Amino acid sequence: KGTWIQKQVEEQPLVRALASRKKQILVTLTNPAMAYASGFLTEIFKVISHHKVSVDAITTSEISVSFTLDEVVLQNKKLLADLSQLAEI
């Protein structure tokens, strides 16, 4: 456990860094209207910003976006309600 730092290595590692965070949730928003839509992610992140929530990791597909949040965010029912106006959670 912990960080291991070396000046030189015999072989380049496959993974240079790995971070572990506890008490995280994955939120996935899906809406077929996202396909080829401009500005859809902007609307999602406006809601997240309005609620002053920090996003850690993001991934997208043609009709969905997933991101990780601190688990405590689940208590923010208004955030979830606002996001559900844009896409299925």
Side-chain angles (χ1 to χ4, degrees):
K1 293 187 177 188
T3 303
W4 188 27
I5 301 172
Q6 294 181 319
K7 282 188 174 188
Q8 296 180 342
V9 294
E10 292 178 20
E11 295 180 23
Q12 292 294 323
L14 293 176
V15 177
R16 292 196 175 253
L18 180 66
S20 174
R21 296 216 33 204
K22 296 181 181 186
K23 297 187 178 184
Q24 292 279 292
I25 58 168
L26 179 67
V27 176
T28 299
L29 303 176
T30 304
N31 186 336
M34 288 175 66
Y36 308 108
S38 174
F40 200 86
L41 289 176
T42 300
E43 296 305 314
I44 290 171
F45 285 98
K46 278 183 186 177
V47 170
I48 291 169
S49 177
H50 174 76
H51 288 277
K52 299 186 182 346
V53 172
S54 176
V55 172
D56 291 311
I58 305 165
T59 186
T60 62
S61 73
E62 193 172 27
I63 64 166
S64 70
V65 59
S66 297
F67 45 87
T68 59
L69 305 171
D70 289 332
E71 190 176 75
V72 70
V73 172
L74 283 178
Q75 297 172 7
N76 187 339
K77 302 299 182 193
K78 180 69 172 130
L79 168 65
L80 299 177
D82 290 350
L83 288 172
S84 70
Q85 296 297 310
L86 298 172
E88 180 182 331
I89 299 176

